[in-house]
Amino acid sequence: MSTRPPGQGPASRVLGPAVERDPDDVRPNRVPRRVFRKLLPYFRPYAARTILTIALMVMVALTGLAGPALAQVAIDRGITAGDEAVLVAVVVVFVLAGLVGWLAGYWQSYLSGWVGERVLLDLRTKLFDHMMGLELGHHERQPTGRSVSRLTNDVEAVNMLVTDGATSLVVNGLTFLGAVGILLWYDWKLALAAFAIFPLLALGTGIFRVRSTRAYRHTRERVADVMSHLQENISGIRVVQGHGRQDQARREFIRVNRDYREANMETVRVSGVYFPGVELLAALGTALILYYGGNRVLDEDLTVGVMVAFIGYLGTFFDPIQQLSQLYNTFQSAVAALEKIFGVLETEPELTSAPGAPDLPPVAGAVRLEGVSFGYGREYVLHDVDLDIAAGETVALVGPTGAGKSTLAKLIARLYDPDEGRVLVDGHDLRMVSVPSLRAQLGIVPQEGHLFGGSIADNLRFARPGATDEDLRAALGMVGALEFVDSLPDGLDTDVQERGSRLSAGQRQLLSFARALVADPRLLILDEATSSIDLRSERRIEQALDTLLAGRTAIVIAHRLSTIRRADRIVVVEDGRVAEQGTHDDLMARGGRYAGLYSDWERAAA
Amino acid sequence: MRTLIRLLAFLRPYRGRVILTALTAVGLMVCTVTLPYLTGRVIDDVLTGRQEDALTPIVIAVVVVGVVRFGLAFVRRYMAGWVSLAVEFDLRERMFGHLQRLSFAYFDRMPVGQLMSRATSDLQTVRFFLGYGLIFLFMHAFTLVLVSAILFWINPLLAALSLLIGPAMVAVAARSSRRSHPVLVDAQQKVGEMTQTAEESIVGVRVIKAFGQEDAQGERFAERSRAAFLRSMDANRLQAFYQPLMGFLPVLGLAVVLLVGGVLTIEGSMSLGEFVEFYLYLTLLMWPFRSIGMLVGNAQRAVASGQRIFEVLDATPDLDERPDARPLPAGGGHVRLEGVRFGYDPDRPVLDGFDLDIPAGRTIALIGATGSGKSTLTQLIPRYYDPQGGRVLLDGADVRDLRLDDLRRAVGMVSQEPFLFSATIRDNIAYGVPGAAEDAVLAAARLAQADPFIRALPEGYDTVVGERGYTLSGGQRQRLAIARAVVTDPRVLVLDEATASVDASTEREISDALRAVMAGRTTIIIAHRLSTIALADEIVLVDGGRPAARGTHDELYAMSALYREIHDQGLARPTDLVGREA
Ligand SMILES: Nc1ncnc2c1ncn2[C@@H]1O[C@H](COP(=O)(O)OP(=O)(O)O)[C@@H](O)[C@H]1O
Ligand SMILES: Nc1ncnc2c1ncn2[C@@H]1O[C@H](COP(=O)(O)OP(=O)(O)O)[C@@H](O)[C@H]1O
Ligand SMILES: [Mg+2]
Ligand SMILES: [Mg+2]
């Protein structure tokens, strides 16, 4: 099964992430227009402001263009003609144009910032809500870093384009076009002479686009490698240090880091040729104008003012090209980011209720699985499971690890939907009722109890924000954690830190348990909820549960006999099937799997 | 300022290149300044002065200057890019290397997200400043001096008048950056909080879903996003005010030139060529004036980021190896704790005067209440933490005197919530022994009873486990962790509730295998099940930060009321229990 030539062992490649690509990093360029069309609806609520912003951009561009033209008038009609009145008038207009440009610039800058950020705020919250709505399976397939990146880096990349980029695009585009128009209007012959450098410019820009697209994509991929390597090595730093693998990890990181640096050097090279190249062309253009224009001035065919204006506009003509090319990278990153964002937004949640599904009415808690089959991937983990749990009953699921006990629990909580068959609560198919109404009546203590950074009280209140401190203390008391919480310097307000890392594993479990109790559910699912808790505490919890569970349905997954024996019924799960079920005595009498399991307990204890 | 100097030190290895960049920048500016001069010559000498044959040489000069400028600009960009990437590489490498040496206590305090943002976005800010910002600052300053000198040379009066806007611009730039800086920092902070919420929500999505809190969490996130939006709008308003203002001030300077210069030209005290030259030179200054404000802002941000980076780099590895650390002495894994006192917060000791001696090759079980310090105790042996009092000895040597890598390789830890890398199962098992032979990996997997389930996976040992191993069931993860520890053949093996999520049958099989593994090495077992505890030669009951009792099961049962209580309430043999309850 596992054959691998020697020397290609894990040493040659330390860990996966370094070579993992972000598969969502699609090639941009292909469909930018389509992507932007999808973004358009987000602007609709702010249509008036958007239009105003664009109008202001036009004004900014126009006042910018007015400068050289006014200078030309000043030189030709004022200075050369020796007319001071004209000169003064021109200067006044010049300053006025500047003032208008300033005011327009203020409003334009503010509004475009506002619209851009506002649109992205909407996009971001929508994206987040959508992500929360996606089924658990989706999140298990996606590394955390990637999802977080969608919400942060990717939205940020779009932000760069929408706020600065759009302004730059409109202003520079208009300036460029305006400069071309003005030059043609002044003197079309001289203009055409200056435009002689166009083909070269177009060719250079074309090559630049192709090469820089490639270089930037490469760089983005390498950056992603660096990020995931960092992320995993920092999250797993305790394992790295615990195994004395620092040097190895460091060597590996240097490799990833160097790859990134080399990829990025290519972008430096590409723009190192292109941008100075554009300036070179600008110098050539100046030379052309000086030569051809100079000769024509000598022939009295052209005024000095026009020639100076030409040289002035040549700048307003190359600047926008440079700016727009600079923008190209921003543009590409934004397209790539938008593709990824819409990729998530267009992922249909697999786990939806029928549209307008009614709320689940308050339930008694009878659970029924009918012919349920389910798999995370290609292969089924559960096969044709039938199970009936009466309201108020406590059922223990036992069986080997990997048998599918947790999976079964997750199906009942509707964290997944079965591939075949159905799950019913009080006769309601879970797919036919709204999800929040189901979850509101259900409490699950998952095997991996996760605490959020923040205070103990915040964590406990998670499922029921309205719970009073008394409720919290009652729940803590029930799981026997009250003493320990009270012994902390800040009591309920103690910050447990990221993932609850300030607590021992057992304490985390206790809090996760208490959190489910605060929710006060009709249906309680305990998935190895006490595996890391010492026996005395567990004993106390069990006694508390006896009262707590009265009248509620409970599904308990555990490996300890004392817990299992308390259940009304024991269900043995094996290889994704219900192997047998009944009370302890029934099952012992039958002499089947459970009896076997039981004898293992006995022997182990002997 | 100190931060700035420390940041500059990162340029030291590349001194040569930095100087080269500066020199090309100077050349570049000289070229750029030459062009308006040549234009002026065309107007004055050729057009006004009617020296027609001077036109061609001047035009050729323009082309030559253009080509030279191209060469210089390429070199400047290339060098600046090179240096900036080199600095980024060095800084990141330093940071990564340093993080590898920091103690567990440091990572207990520092959220992953914080470290990530320092190693990425803060680093970018610094690199842009060191690589490009400094050069631009230099270039602009140089241009300012050079062009101002030329302006004064052409016409001192006009120069003085038009340069009046200079101080105004610098003042506006300074004021703008002073006002925006705190707002920007705060906006960044808000963005950070939003990121934190995003990260937490994705990591905790199981819990959010299990309690149907998607909407509430969405509201929480929206609130953070809105706060970030509002704060960045404050920054936006400031920026919208100052930037166009910076665009407007130069217009005033140009207007002065047009008006005064125009009048001077009309009066004949200035030539038309000089006037045009002057005008073009002044436009050359607009960009530096505008940018200096921006660059000062960049410098401030770089210093702020630098501070955040140095905060990490300055964290002393309080658990560093001694310079004269020695290799592991020969031995069979004799562990000894002498009067150990330790607390994560030194004022609240978890262990208080803990004495324990475990002869080489022995297996002991630690039992005790949740939070009594069992896990903490075991973490002192491989020096994940250092005790505040007393000492820990391995084979007679204080662990603080030993080489850290040796020590940690000698102690195999299977922790309560094992962290798996998103790599193949094979790489995860072989983690502690890079290049482990296939046989060793298989043997370890078999020993941990992981082989059967691994083989049942579609891709066997090449299956990539998802992030943190969440695609495996709890018991499967634990078995991989056991295999990972066993493969290193450690002197001391710590099993911290390593089989808590494993069913009785599997556990019995693991126990059988473990008996073989434990032979010849010291083993510490933490467990709550009698079946597991039964593997131990002796049991130590931890209570109140000390060993409350120690002995075999029978001894303890006779000796300790606490043990009796625990035993009777849960550890008891099933038959006892059934018998009593029946
Ligand atoms: N999120 C997941 N993605 C893919 N496979 C999974 C996932 N969770 C569990 N499995 C697989 O499904 C099987 C059943 O797992 P589970 O229900 O967790 O077992 P247990 O009975 O120990 O609780 C195991 O083989 C496990 O590897
Ligand atoms: N990283 C940490 N930072 C601060 N306090 C901790 C940390 N880890 C554990 N503690 C505290 O130390 C005590 C002992 O924890 P631990 O040794 O994990 O207990 P257990 O006996 O359950 O293994 C607990 O009160 C816990 O809250
Ligand atoms: Mg499970
Ligand atoms: Mg522990």
Side-chain angles (χ1 to χ4, degrees):
Chain A
M1 166 159 282
S2 42
T3 46
R4 163 143 84 171
Q8 236 181 288
S12 52
R13 194 175 68 69
V14 178
L15 289 169
V19 289
E20 189 193 11
R21 278 289 153 286
D22 187 341
D24 302 349
D25 197 352
V26 286
R27 285 152 200 255
N29 229 356
R30 215 178 24 160
V31 279
R33 200 167 311 143
R34 226 181 50 216
V35 174
F36 284 114
R37 192 163 311 140
K38 287 183 204 156
L39 190 60
L40 218 52
Y42 289 87
F43 282 93
R44 192 149 302 143
Y46 316 111
R49 287 171 201 247
T50 309
I51 292 167
L52 185 59
T53 312
I54 293 174
L56 286 168
M57 286 176 188
V58 174
M59 258 170 89
V60 170
L62 286 182
T63 53
L65 278 171
L70 289 170
Q72 178 260 327
V73 174
I75 292 176
D76 284 350
R77 305 249 176 91
I79 300 172
T80 318
D83 188 341
E84 293 196 7
V86 171
L87 185 63
V88 172
V90 169
V91 170
V92 169
V93 174
F94 189 82
V95 173
L96 280 180
L99 268 176
V100 170
W102 176 20
L103 286 178
Y106 171 72
W107 284 107
Q108 181 271 325
S109 179
Y110 176 70
L111 275 179
S112 66
W114 192 92
V115 170
E117 294 262 5
R118 183 68 224 201
V119 163
L120 290 167
L121 172 66
D122 294 350
L123 182 65
R124 186 182 265 142
T125 34
K126 176 150 182 219
L127 184 62
F128 184 87
D129 289 345
H130 188 78
M131 277 183 176
M132 287 292 114
L134 288 174
E135 68 283 356
L136 205 51
H138 171 87
H139 292 284
E140 274 162 0
R141 287 188 297 270
Q142 298 287 324
T144 311
R146 200 176 294 166
S147 299
V148 174
S149 195
R150 295 290 165 276
L151 287 164
T152 55
N153 298 343
D154 289 338
V155 173
E156 210 41 52
V158 181
N159 188 5
M160 297 282 271
L161 184 69
V162 171
T163 48
D164 296 344
T167 309
S168 169
L169 192 73
V170 173
V171 173
N172 285 309
L174 279 175
T175 308
F176 175 76
L177 290 178
V180 169
I182 289 176
L183 289 184
L184 283 172
W185 177 72
Y186 266 142
D187 189 302
W188 65 270
K189 279 187 274 178
L190 191 53
L192 287 186
F195 297 161
I197 46 173
F198 255 20
L200 270 179
L201 185 63
L203 182 69
T205 306
I207 296 175
F208 170 74
R209 269 185 52 159
V210 174
R211 304 242 351 224
S212 83
T213 304
R214 204 180 313 140
Y216 275 111
R217 192 179 56 241
H218 214 94
T219 306
R220 278 199 303 275
E221 286 170 3
R222 291 287 164 272
V223 168
D225 287 350
V226 172
M227 296 276 275
S228 63
H229 202 92
L230 265 173
Q231 172 94 38
E232 195 156 55
N233 272 285
I234 296 179
S235 312
I237 189 93
R238 292 173 179 80
V239 181
V240 178
Q241 292 194 357
H243 285 84
R245 280 283 297 256
Q246 294 96 314
D247 290 341
Q248 188 87 20
R250 191 165 173 172
R251 269 199 299 281
E252 187 67 13
F253 185 68
I254 288 179
R255 192 181 61 69
V256 176
N257 213 357
R258 184 171 300 132
D259 285 351
Y260 154 71
R261 176 175 162 186
E262 271 155 26
N264 210 343
M265 262 326 274
E266 178 63 16
T267 73
V268 170
R269 270 191 291 270
V270 171
S271 34
V273 173
Y274 176 74
F275 290 104
V278 173
E279 284 177 6
L280 175 60
L281 288 180
L284 289 182
T286 310
L288 275 173
I289 292 171
L290 282 179
Y291 186 73
Y292 179 60
N295 273 318
R296 288 195 31 214
V297 173
L298 288 175
D299 296 347
E300 314 259 321
D301 191 17
L302 195 74
T303 64
V304 174
V306 170
M307 202 181 88
V308 172
F310 252 83
I311 294 176
Y313 278 117
L314 213 58
T316 44
F317 173 91
F318 279 103
D319 260 5
I321 293 179
Q322 291 218 10
Q323 300 274 346
L324 289 176
S325 302
Q326 297 266 23
L327 195 65
Y328 192 61
N329 169 38
T330 315
F331 174 78
Q332 284 180 329
S333 310
V335 171
L338 272 178
E339 293 245 358
K340 293 187 231 170
I341 289 172
F342 283 116
V344 175
L345 280 177
E346 282 160 15
T347 307
E348 291 294 328
E350 282 166 23
L351 211 140
T352 48
S353 306
D359 281 353
L360 183 67
V363 294
V367 178
R368 196 179 150 83
L369 278 74
E370 291 179 356
V372 165
S373 296
F374 172 77
Y376 293 97
R378 278 166 289 158
E379 284 167 48
Y380 277 166
V381 171
L382 294 178
H383 311 268
D384 195 21
V385 173
D386 288 308
L387 187 63
D388 236 318
I389 300 171
E393 193 182 18
T394 299
V395 168
L397 299 182
V398 301
T401 40
K405 305 179 296 295
S406 300
T407 307
L408 205 61
K410 288 189 258 185
L411 286 177
I412 296 172
R414 209 179 167 220
L415 291 173
Y416 297 88
D417 271 338
D419 295 318
E420 284 169 46
R422 38 186 211 150
V423 182
L424 306 160
V425 170
D426 277 15
H428 301 275
D429 187 329
L430 293 187
R431 276 174 293 211
M432 298 302 163
V433 295
S434 73
V435 177
S437 66
L438 165 69
R439 302 266 163 77
Q441 303 191 48
L442 178 137
I444 178 165
V445 185
Q447 203 164 351
E448 305 86 13
H450 172 93
L451 297 182
F452 295 94
S455 72
I456 291 180
D458 288 346
N459 269 293
L460 293 179
R461 275 203 188 94
F462 185 75
R464 191 153 65 89
T468 63
D469 276 3
E470 294 320 304
D471 298 336
L472 305 189
R473 298 181 69 81
L476 285 173
M478 217 138 18
V479 301
L482 193 55
E483 270 168 51
F484 126 73
V485 170
D486 279 340
S487 78
L488 292 169
D490 297 321
L492 274 174
D493 295 322
T494 307
D495 185 354
V496 299
Q497 294 185 350
E498 207 176 33
R499 287 169 183 270
S501 66
R502 260 188 75 178
L503 305 173
S504 85
Q507 289 165 339
R508 278 199 288 278
Q509 240 179 14
L510 289 175
L511 292 187
S512 158
F513 204 137
R515 173 172 62 191
L517 296 184
V518 170
D520 191 22
R522 297 295 312 151
L523 182 60
L524 190 61
I525 300 174
L526 306 176
D527 190 353
E528 308 197 15
T530 54
S531 61
S532 293
I533 294 169
D534 69 287
L535 290 158
R536 276 213 298 180
S537 311
E538 188 182 22
R539 187 77 174 170
R540 266 166 72 179
I541 294 176
E542 278 167 5
Q543 278 157 4
L545 278 182
D546 280 347
T547 26
L548 184 85
L549 290 183
R552 295 175 212 249
T553 311
I555 296 163
V556 181
I557 301 174
H559 294 301
R560 284 191 221 160
L561 190 64
S562 55
T563 318
I564 294 166
R565 272 190 47 88
R566 302 185 93 86
D568 298 322
R569 184 152 49 108
I570 295 164
V571 174
V572 182
V573 182
E574 229 177 59
D575 292 333
R577 293 189 172 79
V578 173
E580 55 184 13
Q581 50 179 307
T583 64
H584 173 80
D585 294 336
D586 291 348
L587 292 177
M588 286 307 289
R590 195 175 307 164
R593 310 263 183 207
Y594 182 76
L597 208 58
Y598 186 79
S599 79
D600 280 331
W601 264 306
E602 267 199 302
R603 269 199 286 164
Chain B
M1 203 60 209
R2 265 201 43 236
T3 312
L4 191 62
I5 291 169
R6 289 186 66 188
L7 282 178
L8 289 179
F10 278 92
L11 287 175
R12 183 158 312 144
Y14 312 111
R15 239 173 322 186
R17 285 166 201 266
V18 171
I19 292 172
L20 183 61
T21 318
L23 288 181
T24 48
V26 169
L28 207 56
M29 282 346 282
V30 172
C31 288
T32 307
V33 167
T34 317
L35 287 177
Y37 170 76
L38 291 173
T39 308
R41 291 282 64 72
V42 169
I43 293 174
D44 272 357
D45 299 352
V46 182
L47 305 184
T48 320
R50 290 281 154 182
Q51 303 171 10
E52 298 186 16
D53 43 354
L55 182 59
T56 315
I58 294 179
V59 169
I60 290 175
V62 168
V63 174
V64 170
V65 168
V67 172
V68 171
R69 188 174 63 169
F70 171 77
L72 290 173
F74 175 75
V75 173
R76 187 199 58 73
R77 278 180 168 267
Y78 185 83
M79 284 300 157
W82 195 94
V83 168
S84 128
L85 285 171
V87 167
E88 181 182 17
F89 179 88
D90 292 349
L91 263 170
R92 189 173 282 141
E93 211 273 314
R94 267 275 289 279
M95 215 160 151
F96 188 82
H98 190 74
L99 283 178
Q100 300 291 333
R101 289 171 52 211
L102 289 176
S103 63
F104 282 39
Y106 182 79
F107 293 102
D108 287 347
R109 289 192 303 269
M110 203 63 159
V112 176
Q114 275 292 332
L115 291 173
M116 281 298 287
S117 81
R118 285 167 204 219
T120 54
S121 57
D122 284 320
L123 221 135
Q124 289 282 342
T125 314
V126 167
R127 113 163 148 100
F128 275 113
F129 177 69
L130 288 185
Y132 297 101
L134 271 183
I135 286 295
F136 279 131
L137 250 163
F138 171 75
M139 253 165 76
H140 291 329
F142 181 75
T143 312
L144 272 180
V145 172
L146 185 67
V147 173
S148 306
I150 295 174
L151 289 181
F152 274 101
W153 181 62
I154 297 177
N155 189 321
L157 173 68
L158 199 51
L161 278 177
S162 57
L163 286 179
L164 273 181
I165 53 148
M169 286 198 71
V170 173
V172 169
R175 185 168 164 73
S176 137
S177 84
R178 205 173 37 247
R179 280 189 64 190
S180 325
H181 184 67
V183 179
L184 281 175
V185 168
D186 195 39
Q188 205 52 40
Q189 177 68 23
K190 293 279 185 300
V191 170
E193 282 167 17
M194 182 193 71
T195 310
Q196 191 77 22
T197 310
E199 172 145 18
E200 235 174 43
S201 311
I202 304 288
V203 173
V205 69
R206 278 171 196 73
V207 177
I208 293 170
K209 289 197 162 285
F211 290 107
Q213 292 295 304
E214 290 95 333
D215 291 346
Q217 196 70 17
E219 195 37 58
R220 226 162 284 164
F221 181 75
E223 206 175 285
R224 290 277 154 86
S225 306
R226 263 197 303 274
F229 168 74
L230 289 176
R231 205 68 185 120
S232 64
M233 278 307 100
D234 292 341
N236 180 26
R237 205 167 294 125
L238 283 175
Q239 199 186 354
F241 178 75
Y242 282 108
Q243 276 204 344
L245 178 61
M246 303 277 269
F248 173 67
L249 285 179
V251 170
L252 286 181
L254 288 175
V256 168
V257 173
L258 275 182
L259 189 63
V260 179
V263 170
L264 287 178
T265 312
I266 290 172
E267 286 170 358
S269 57
M270 197 176 173
S271 75
L272 185 60
E274 278 175 339
F275 170 75
V276 171
E277 236 177 279
F278 198 97
Y279 182 80
L280 290 180
Y281 275 123
L282 198 60
T283 54
L284 273 190
L285 279 189
M286 295 308 131
W287 181 234
F289 270 137
R290 253 183 245 191
S291 313
I292 280 182
M294 216 171 68
L295 286 172
V296 169
N298 281 357
Q300 283 175 333
R301 261 196 298 279
V303 167
S305 288
Q307 268 161 1
R308 283 160 59 82
I309 291 174
F310 287 129
E311 225 174 81
V312 176
L313 289 181
D314 291 346
T316 36
D318 45 7
L319 219 139
D320 223 357
E321 197 170 79
R322 295 217 170 138
D324 57 345
R326 53 195 179 103
L328 213 57
H334 174 201
V335 174
R336 193 178 157 81
L337 278 72
E338 289 177 358
V340 165
R341 193 165 47 75
F342 173 78
Y344 295 92
D345 169 1
D347 297 336
R348 297 163 36 82
V350 174
L351 304 176
D352 203 359
F354 207 105
D355 290 308
L356 185 65
D357 188 280
I358 312 172
R362 282 277 235 178
T363 299
I364 66 141
L366 293 179
I367 64 173
T370 301
S372 58
K374 306 179 293 296
S375 301
T376 304
L377 167 65
T378 62
Q379 291 180 352
L380 298 180
I381 302 169
R383 265 193 100 196
Y384 289 176
Y385 301 89
D386 272 341
Q388 284 116 18
R391 50 187 202 144
V392 180
L393 304 159
L394 179 60
D395 285 324
D398 189 324
V399 290
R400 279 171 295 200
D401 296 334
L402 295 176
R403 283 218 293 262
L404 209 52
D405 281 2
D406 288 358
L407 170 68
R408 291 198 172 152
R409 291 209 189 104
V411 184
M413 301 281 282
V414 182
S415 64
Q416 264 176 300
E417 290 172 336
F419 180 94
L420 298 178
F421 291 96
S422 49
T424 63
I425 288 187
R426 183 200 318 277
D427 287 353
N428 266 298
I429 294 179
Y431 189 75
V433 189
E438 185 73 22
D439 290 351
V441 172
L442 290 186
R446 262 185 229 118
L447 216 50
Q449 300 300 316
D451 188 61
F453 92 78
I454 296 172
R455 285 185 187 279
L457 292 169
E459 285 163 75
Y461 282 83
D462 293 315
T463 308
V464 173
V465 303
E467 205 177 32
R468 286 172 187 265
Y470 275 143
T471 50
L472 298 174
S473 83
Q476 290 169 339
R477 272 203 299 277
Q478 287 184 331
R479 279 179 275 166
L480 282 192
I482 295 176
R484 177 169 70 184
V486 165
V487 95
T488 61
D489 189 24
R491 243 182 240 191
V492 180
L493 181 65
V494 175
L495 302 170
D496 190 351
E497 306 190 12
T499 53
S501 295
V502 173
D503 61 293
S505 306
T506 313
E507 189 185 17
R508 196 170 58 84
E509 284 159 18
I510 298 180
S511 302
D512 290 345
L514 281 181
R515 246 185 272 275
V517 183
M518 291 178 330
R521 60 183 113 234
T522 311
T523 310
I524 300 174
I525 295 175
I526 301 176
H528 299 301
R529 285 192 231 164
L530 189 58
S531 46
T532 320
I533 294 169
L535 287 169
D537 304 321
E538 266 183 305
I539 300 168
V540 174
L541 180 61
V542 181
D543 191 39
R546 286 157 192 272
R550 171 175 184 165
T552 62
H553 163 74
D554 292 336
E555 287 164 9
L556 278 187
Y557 198 83
M559 200 162 65
S560 162
L562 186 58
Y563 181 77
R564 253 195 318 274
E565 188 190 336
I566 294 173
H567 180 272
D568 290 347
Q569 285 191 348
L571 280 179
R573 294 168 52 180
T575 33
D576 294 348
L577 194 69
V578 175
R580 207 176 60 231
E581 286 185 2

